[in-house]
Amino acid sequence: MVWVLIIPAAILVVRNRPEEIGLYPDGASEPVEEPGGEVPAEGRTFWRVVASMDFRFLALALAAGPFVVTALVFHQISILDGHGLSPGAAAGVFVPFAAASAAGTALSGALVERLGPKATLIVSLGLLLAAVLGLQVVSTVPTAIVYSVLLGAAAGARGVVAGMIWAHFYGHAGLGRVQPRWS
């Protein structure tokens, strides 16, 4: 079935670049100049990009979120138990986390359109910071819900930003050379 359905469909339908079907980034009617300074995307090698401090700061900012969110989610029941919440109540705040993550994903796309990916990344990291700091004062179910909503919104927004910010800084022509596999 793969040979009969999937491979022919991929050959006929999949395009590697929007320009192949007459489309350009951001709805432009003609090719747009790529971001990223005076060195064209094709001229920036992987090692040259990785050696730059800009890349390292961006990678660090994007990597911090998933590590923190994963650690907090994995240990949420024991952390909230230490704050006086029952394991059932601690598990119950996964629902607002999931809803806030979905809302953060949906809303951050509009935020990127209005503010750009850099400002949206800052908002995402600000939400994460607020969640971590708010966790220090969680003692009731409502405060745990606020913490969970902040954490979920940060996780959702970060996912959208990570998909857009590399192209913003390095252009879509050089994206495959610079985007880390974990992003």
Side-chain angles (χ1 to χ4, degrees):
M1 294 306 290
V2 169
W3 286 98
V4 172
L5 297 175
I6 305 298
I7 293 175
I11 291 169
L12 295 172
V13 175
V14 174
R15 301 291 181 257
N16 291 325
R17 297 175 45 100
E19 292 85 354
E20 292 177 8
I21 57 172
L23 298 175
Y24 300 100
D26 298 324
S29 59
E30 58 188 43
V32 295
E33 186 175 322
E34 287 289 329
E38 60 273 347
V39 179
E42 289 78 14
R44 290 191 302 258
T45 65
F46 173 78
W47 294 112
R48 183 173 175 183
V49 170
V50 170
S52 74
M53 289 307 291
D54 293 339
F55 175 84
R56 292 176 185 189
F57 283 131
L58 186 57
L60 179 63
L62 288 171
F67 288 129
V68 173
V69 171
T70 300
L72 291 173
V73 167
F74 278 6
H75 299 285
Q76 180 167 298
I77 293 175
S78 63
I79 292 170
L80 295 180
D81 183 47
H83 286 266
L85 274 70
S86 70
V93 299
F94 280 117
V95 174
F97 170 85
S101 181
T105 300
L107 295 174
S108 62
L111 200 58
V112 168
E113 295 270 330
R114 293 198 193 312
L115 303 177
K118 188 164 93 172
T120 307
L121 176 61
I122 292 169
V123 168
S124 167
L125 292 173
L127 288 168
L128 182 59
L129 178 63
V132 171
L133 294 175
L135 181 59
Q136 307 306 311
V137 297
V138 169
S139 60
T140 63
V141 171
T143 56
I145 290 172
V146 170
Y147 148 75
S148 183
V149 165
L150 290 169
L151 189 64
R158 184 248 166 234
V160 171
V161 171
M164 301 175 110
I165 202 160
W166 295 108
H168 175 76
F169 283 107
Y170 296 102
H172 78 279
L175 185 58
R177 288 189 193 95
V178 299
Q179 187 174 13
R181 301 214 190 292
W182 44 260
S183 180

